[in-house]
Amino acid sequence: MQATQLFKTGDIRTVDVPVPSPASGELLIQVEAAGICGTDRHLYKGEFPSVPGKTLGHEFSGIVVDAGDTGFTNGSRVTCDPNTWCGTCEQCLRGRVNLCANNIATGIHRDGGFAEFCAFAASKAVLLPKDLDPLHGAFCEPLACTIHGLDLAAVQAGEKVLIIGGGVIGLLAMQLAKRAGAEVALLTRSAEKQALALSLGADHAVGDEDAFRGIWPGGADAVVECAGVVETVALSPKLTRTGGRVVILGVLPQGEQVPIEPFDLLFREIQMHFSFLNPFTHGRAAQMIASGSISVAPLISRTISLAEAAEAIATPPLKGEVRAIVVPSAN
């Protein structure tokens, strides 16, 4: 079969490898769809730690073709929660499983979903409806991470919430905040993504700080940063009202530093939270995707084959692109 593997920083290729043999407790999954995440590009650039020689792809879903001794049935459609916590370290025992010291992340530490087939732990697979659009299952993982961020933001009905960043995480966060009953603004320079946000229910879409302040001069109750850019992380508390809160969902390169003003955060008592991974949220995400309560079809910018995956990861996303989906069955 073919798989897209990262051999070292700057060296990503689609190569022929054997079809994996699932161990006891694992499923063999025929991958239907796998999303290209910003983290995949960080991995390619060496900006996020990983194990060399592994198949990338941590946002994927597919069909079970060998259920083995797991209790699943062949032909089931599943979404794959890529994080396997150890369950015994200090953080796991505190319930902070996303901070597990021994986490094994599929697509980073072990072979992932940019492949025709993937052997995957049945304990981390969640059923999806058989009639679900195959592409939609690839959004469960980013939605699960976004749900955790919105849980930390603790958005209340009637609040004003600013989402910074018009990528897939930002547009998912915008929809979750609207479902919570908030008035929501999205800030992105992209006119295409502003229009998309408005079509998905955003109350406001703006391109810069001045335009935002023209809407809410006093700032937002909660700001959710989804762009993963130094400038927007630094900007987030400045756009938060006194007594408000910030959640950083965007991923910056390892070693990057952001200037903040502690005096301002102190005297305005701004809370800053950082959201990592998807603790106990993947099942919730799968239910929302299955029910259609979160709209993901408009977030699919293009579908590509495995042969095109390496180049797509190694280059910046296309102008206005939200999510490119790798479809291994495509020619």
Side-chain angles (χ1 to χ4, degrees), residues 101-237:
N102 307 303
N103 178 44
I104 302 298
T106 302
I108 296 177
H109 305 119
R110 55 167 288 167
D111 290 333
F114 291 147
E116 295 179 68
F117 297 91
C118 180
F120 189 78
S123 62
K124 302 298 290 184
V126 179
L127 281 170
L128 290 170
K130 287 298 296 294
D131 60 352
L132 183 74
D133 186 314
L135 299 182
H136 292 186
F139 286 89
C140 292
E141 193 276 344
L143 179 58
C145 293
T146 310
I147 289 172
H148 178 49
L150 269 290
D151 285 349
L152 291 174
V155 173
Q156 301 294 312
E159 287 192 314
K160 294 179 171 64
V161 176
L162 172 64
I163 309 297
I164 300 180
V168 68
I169 300 297
L171 291 167
L172 291 173
M174 182 277 296
Q175 293 184 65
L176 289 171
K178 283 296 296 180
R179 282 179 55 84
E183 181 182 352
V184 183
L186 185 131
L187 192 159
T188 175
R189 290 192 296 264
S190 168
E192 297 96 333
K193 292 176 180 178
Q194 290 177 32
L196 179 55
L198 292 170
S199 74
L200 290 170
D203 298 288
H204 316 280
V206 296
D208 56 38
E209 179 181 353
D210 289 341
F212 167 76
R213 294 194 183 281
I215 299 169
W216 297 336
D221 296 288
V223 174
V224 184
E225 198 284 334
C226 303
V229 177
V230 168
E231 291 76 14
T232 53
V233 173
L235 179 64
S236 294

Side-chain angles (χ1 to χ4, degrees), residues 9 56 61 66 82 88 118 310 327 331:
T9 299
L56 298 189
S61 59
D66 184 353
T88 59
C118 180
V327 180
N331 295 323

Side-chain angles (χ1 to χ4, degrees), residues 89-101:
C89 73
E90 180 183 6
Q91 295 298 338
C92 283
L93 294 176
R94 295 175 62 227
R96 304 294 299 277
V97 293
N98 57 316
L99 306 180
C100 172

